Amino acid sequence: MPDTIQLPSTVITDIDQLQAYLQVALQLEHATLPPYLTTAYSARIEANKPAIDIIRAVGKEEMLHLTLAANLLNAVGGQPNLNAPDFVPKFPAHLPTGQNDFRVGLERLSEHAIDIFLAIERPTPPETASVVQYITRTVPIAARHVDPALLKDNDPMVPITPDGENYLLHYQIATVAHADLSDRRRETSEAGVSLLPHVMAQDGPAPITLHYWSIGEFYKAIHLGFVELCHTLGEKALFTGAKKRQVGSTAYFSGGGQSMEVTGLRSALAAIDLIAGQGEGNNSSVYDKEGEIAHYYRFDQIKKRRYYRNPDEHGGDRAGDPQGGRLAVDMDQVYPIRANAKLADYAGHPELERRALLFNGQYRRFLARLTRAFNGEPELLDAKFYLEMFNIKDAMQALIRNPIPGTAENAAPTFEMDKFIDEDETSEATHGMESTTEDRLENFLQLSVQLCGITHFDLTGTGYGKDYFATVEEIVGTPLMQRLLDAFVGLPPTPAPASFQAAILNHPEFGPVARNIIKLWYTATWFQLPTTWRDNFGARARDQSHVPYPYAYAKSLLGPAVGAHPAGAKPSGHQSWALPPMPLPVPEECL
């Protein structure tokens, strides 16, 4: 960059520009959720629970950041809009990392996915980055606007020093000139698909474009914008938003932390500090002022296969050098989902296509409910809202666990918000889907459909179809399993209840096994076969009451059958006890 460049002294000059930046902040905080959740739910929980827990915990905090960004926008008279046509990016999307641009996609758990997550949460640049140009500003701030907690932070986002009875804020906002961008990031910017806004600086007679080095630098610009507009306009003129539009801690709470209302400069800066502190962290410190590990370093744990230690024990660890216990990750134990799946990938497979469209409609309703909650109806963040979040998880997992026929890949949500079916999935009967699994496994699943009254898609969507098939066959033996399946296949495609009962449930050999299959699906438990059955048909060594797969309980069918979640496995939300049970239709294929 030429030495003659005249950097701007500030970047946000009026309320309209601040509102535009905050709407972008909403979009940025949400943009990471589909990639994080898709990757987390692509992993098999038995082998990757620690990694799944880390990614989901970050996702919960991104939801908190989304809420705080909405509070910031509402505080200055804006209107959060999560249903704007371009709010959900088309994946793969583009995000900046210094001079370069990188693509954020929807993909399975892999080294590549974790590298992308690290790039998303990248800390601010080291001072040695040669192409960095800093927008430098020192701004006074009254003591009443400073949260005392910020003064205890040894490494704040914006350094603060005493100035008599008040303080000074020292801004250094890292940018990089358009000419110094990599070819890919320059092309992304010129094509207008970058999510971050740019800044204009003066280089001789012609202005040039500067780009924020990272998302953290973008938030520094918002921080500076609040402080300077408060100086020029006055706090009362800046914070004109109605208090009833704020989502406080009583209306929103999740594992990601508590929300806070933004009613003035002090709370605005505290909210920005929380968003940035939980996210990037910095190059020298792993922990925020609360002793929590920043998002970047949480993902670094997955990358390094080792935990960072608690800072209260041994003083914590240096950035990039975790010394805690081993973190088990098996990148091979994942569902082989198609990366950045599109509806077009499901052409010719009507049930997959329909489920993907239903998911998109479900996600649109979720964003619409959030938009209403952020625009004066915070009471909508109730038990039904949290139940809907769990329903979204279940719908994602059901897609991820179903193969795309004729390929070696599984399906995945597409998040194409312009392609959807806007209806409640439970309001319409569903139909079986094609399968490319082995005939005997397929026949076992079809038998389970008749036994359990659950669709083929939903049984496969639990992720335990193959496991349960293997469990039953291992216990009763292949010959008996084959005879049971042959008896079922010999029935008409839609057998009358009486004929099905006579051939399967009332059969002296098949009946107890079939009833155990029902109990296995509904309770995730194999119960020992009756004594009379063992006496007549022979005892099996593995025929003991046991739980074959500990994590299967959360996917057992008993909870959904009564309109609830498995106790202790899936919290259904605050005050969910007050909601009436949901009516559950019988799938058409089971009638």
Side-chain angles (χ1 to χ4, degrees):
M1 177 177 290
D3 294 334
T4 58
I5 185 170
Q6 182 181 341
L7 292 169
S9 61
T10 191
V11 289
I12 296 176
T13 58
D14 56 46
I15 292 179
D16 288 343
Q17 191 179 6
L18 178 60
Q19 290 177 353
Y21 267 54
L22 290 169
Q23 178 64 32
V24 171
L26 272 176
Q27 189 176 10
L28 283 169
E29 295 303 333
H30 170 268
T32 59
L33 286 174
Y36 287 169
L37 296 180
T38 300
T39 295
Y41 297 143
S42 74
R44 294 182 181 272
I45 193 169
E46 293 85 353
N48 289 297
K49 187 176 186 301
I52 294 171
D53 288 345
I54 287 173
I55 299 171
R56 288 185 60 199
V58 172
K60 289 178 181 179
E61 291 185 357
E62 298 295 359
M63 277 295 299
L64 172 62
H65 300 172
L66 183 72
T67 304
L68 292 174
N71 282 352
L72 287 163
L73 181 53
N74 273 319
V76 294
Q79 293 183 315
N81 185 3
L82 284 66
N83 285 122
D86 60 347
F87 182 79
V88 178
K90 297 185 184 302
F91 293 102
H94 298 265
L95 286 175
T97 176
Q99 292 173 270
N100 301 315
D101 211 340
F102 64 96
R103 300 201 315 169
V104 181
L106 307 173
E107 58 181 289
R108 72 190 73 169
L109 178 66
S110 65
E111 297 292 350
H112 179 263
I114 298 304
D115 286 340
I116 292 297
F117 295 171
L118 286 166
I120 291 172
E121 307 288 356
R122 176 181 180 165
T124 48
E127 295 179 0
T128 55
S130 60
V131 297
V132 172
Q133 294 290 329
Y134 289 96
I135 297 172
T136 303
R137 191 93 164 95
T138 298
V139 184
I141 184 169
R144 69 179 184 277
H145 295 316
V146 178
D147 189 321
L150 298 180
L151 301 176
K152 300 177 183 179
D153 192 345
N154 294 326
D155 198 358
M157 179 177 71
V158 178
I160 183 169
T161 58
D163 182 33
E165 295 182 354
N166 296 308
Y167 297 93
L168 294 174
L169 292 168
H170 305 276
Y171 292 91
Q172 279 197 319
I173 302 173
T175 64
V176 57
H178 191 73
D180 290 325
L181 297 178
S182 67
D183 291 343
R184 188 170 66 182
R185 186 174 179 189
R186 191 181 307 115
E187 291 170 3
T188 299
S189 174
E190 292 171 356
V193 294
S194 177
L195 294 181
L196 287 185
H198 57 262
V199 186
M200 300 308 295
Q202 194 71 29
D203 181 25
I208 69 168
T209 303
L210 297 175
H211 300 266
Y212 293 109
W213 182 270
S214 68
I215 295 172
E217 301 304 297
F218 170 71
Y219 272 110
K220 285 184 187 178
I222 292 176
H223 193 287
L224 175 59
F226 269 103
V227 173
E228 292 206 312
L229 289 177
C230 193
H231 275 301
T232 57
L233 302 176
E235 189 173 25
K236 187 175 181 179
L238 176 59
F239 292 93
T240 59
K243 190 175 185 297
K244 68 178 183 180
R245 296 169 68 89
Q246 293 293 312
V247 178
S249 59
T250 57
Y252 176 90
F253 179 82
S254 77
Q258 288 186 316
S259 182
M260 65 175 72
E261 296 182 0
V262 177
T263 56
L265 184 59
R266 175 170 169 161
S267 52
L269 299 185
I272 297 169
D273 184 73
L274 176 58
I275 294 172
Q278 280 189 337
E280 294 186 336
N282 58 65
N283 287 291
S284 60
S285 178
V286 174
Y287 313 95
D288 63 19
K289 60 180 178 293
E290 303 296 333
E292 297 289 335
I293 300 174
H295 293 180
Y296 179 89
Y297 296 104
R298 293 189 201 180
F299 292 136
D300 193 41
Q301 295 176 131
I302 301 176
K303 183 72 175 177
K304 303 284 176 51
R305 308 296 201 271
R306 191 174 289 279
Y307 290 100
Y308 283 98
R309 291 178 296 183
N310 188 319
D312 295 332
E313 302 172 5
H314 314 290
D317 294 323
R318 292 179 301 168
D321 187 25
Q323 294 294 312
R326 299 292 299 176
L327 193 159
V329 182
D330 189 344
M331 300 293 188
D332 294 326
Q333 291 297 310
V334 298
Y335 293 96
I337 63 171
R338 177 163 295 181
N340 303 308
K342 305 298 180 189
L343 262 299
D345 296 325
Y346 307 143
H349 311 299
E351 181 64 8
L352 277 182
E353 183 177 28
R354 178 177 173 277
R355 291 296 183 124
L357 287 167
L358 281 168
F359 174 83
N360 289 345
Q362 183 180 16
Y363 201 77
R364 282 173 60 92
R365 292 193 302 274
F366 170 73
L367 293 179
R369 191 178 185 92
L370 271 177
T371 298
R372 289 177 59 194
F374 292 159
N375 281 274
E377 299 181 72
E379 66 275 7
L380 291 178
L381 300 178
D382 57 6
K384 289 184 178 179
F385 171 76
Y386 291 102
L387 180 61
E388 182 65 15
M389 291 177 68
F390 284 107
N391 290 339
I392 286 172
K393 170 189 171 183
D394 288 343
M396 290 184 71
Q397 289 179 323
L399 277 166
I400 285 169
R401 291 168 178 174
N402 273 280
I404 303 174
T407 76
E409 295 178 307
N410 280 26
T414 70
F415 290 94
E416 295 171 282
M417 294 295 98
D418 58 339
K419 300 179 177 68
F420 62 95
I421 296 176
D422 190 13
E423 64 182 34
D424 188 344
E425 180 183 346
T426 62
S427 67
E428 184 178 316
T430 57
H431 305 278
M433 57 172 288
E434 301 174 50
S435 174
T436 58
T437 53
E438 297 177 2
D439 289 343
R440 290 169 57 253
L441 170 59
E442 174 60 18
N443 290 337
F444 172 79
L445 291 173
Q446 294 291 358
L447 171 63
S448 297
V449 167
Q450 296 297 324
L451 290 171
C452 298
I454 302 294
T455 67
H456 187 299
F457 184 94
D458 289 327
L459 289 178
T460 306
T462 66
Y464 286 94
K466 292 181 180 180
D467 295 324
Y468 287 165
F469 170 74
T471 294
V472 177
E473 185 167 82
E474 184 177 358
I475 291 173
V476 304
T478 300
L480 172 53
M481 175 69 90
Q482 189 62 58
R483 292 196 302 274
L484 169 61
L485 296 178
D486 287 345
F488 170 68
V489 172
L491 294 170
T494 54
S499 60
F500 181 80
Q501 188 161 350
I504 304 296
L505 292 174
N506 289 347
H507 191 281
E509 184 180 26
F510 303 153
V513 176
R515 282 186 281 275
N516 259 26
I517 292 172
I518 297 172
K519 288 184 278 188
L520 181 61
W521 280 107
Y522 274 85
T523 68
T525 303
W526 176 268
F527 293 90
Q528 188 178 53
L529 289 161
T531 301
T532 53
W533 189 95
R534 288 183 282 124
D535 290 342
N536 292 332
F537 301 104
R540 270 67 168 175
R542 286 214 59 204
D543 180 27
Q544 304 291 331
S545 295
H546 68 290
V547 177
Y549 305 98
Y551 292 107
Y553 169 69
K555 289 296 178 182
S556 60
L557 303 179
L558 184 58
V562 297
H565 285 297
K570 291 183 179 180
S572 51
H574 181 58
Q575 293 185 344
S576 59
W577 53 268
L579 300 176
M582 294 182 296
L584 299 174
V586 178
E588 186 176 278
E589 65 195 84
C590 302
L591 295 176

